[in-house]
Amino acid sequence: MSVTIYHNPQCSTSRKTLELIREAGIEPVIVEYRQAGWTKALLKSLFRAMKAKPRDLLRVNGTPAEELGLTDPAVSDERILAAMVEHPILVQRPIVVSDKATILARPQEKVLDIL
């Protein structure tokens, strides 16, 4: 099985999710998205697979989301998406892609459903 985790090693949920994947006997592709960054195309593909919109995965705590005005309900998905590309920390984590599905692994045990 092929598994990719968009991972932030400073996030305990992300670390625990990675641990669960490895305990299942899978060594995933690990993308440290804060270093690698995002592209609009990749984010759109992930959101489409998750049947989600950018706002659904907008991280507010510990990010510049509020100061950028992204929490205003009138802000468009395109503006949020552009901000996510510019500030990778704005995307909730961890996102896990497997042959079965693409999910936001919060809580981390959700990853077990797609392994």
Side-chain angles (χ1 to χ4, degrees):
M1 170 176 282
S2 172
V3 175
T4 300
I5 179 171
Y6 293 90
H7 178 60
N8 178 351
Q10 286 133 357
C11 170
S12 63
T13 300
S14 195
R15 289 192 310 269
K16 289 175 186 173
T17 301
L18 178 57
E19 188 177 310
L20 287 172
I21 294 167
R22 287 179 168 155
E23 285 174 1
I26 299 166
E27 184 55 39
V29 173
I30 300 170
V31 179
E32 291 189 23
Y33 66 89
R34 289 185 65 190
Q35 293 177 355
W38 299 107
T39 65
K40 279 188 181 184
L42 174 58
L43 285 172
K44 283 182 177 184
S45 172
L46 293 170
F47 294 155
R48 191 170 35 258
M50 295 167 54
K51 295 181 173 70
K53 295 184 181 216
R55 184 175 304 282
D56 299 332
L57 273 84
L58 176 63
R59 183 171 177 82
V60 177
N61 293 339
T63 75
E66 288 185 355
E67 68 187 59
L68 293 171
L70 301 175
T71 57
D72 181 337
V75 173
S76 71
D77 284 343
E78 256 328 290
R79 182 165 164 217
I80 293 172
L81 188 62
M84 288 173 160
V85 170
E86 187 174 342
H87 305 277
I89 196 168
L90 290 170
V91 180
Q92 281 283 7
R93 77 270 180 160
I95 295 173
V96 180
V97 179
S98 79
D99 298 337
K100 293 182 180 180
T102 300
I103 64 162
L104 173 64
R106 287 191 166 269
Q108 64 264 7
E109 292 82 10
K110 284 179 67 176
V111 77
L112 298 174
D113 295 336
I114 67 165
L115 300 179

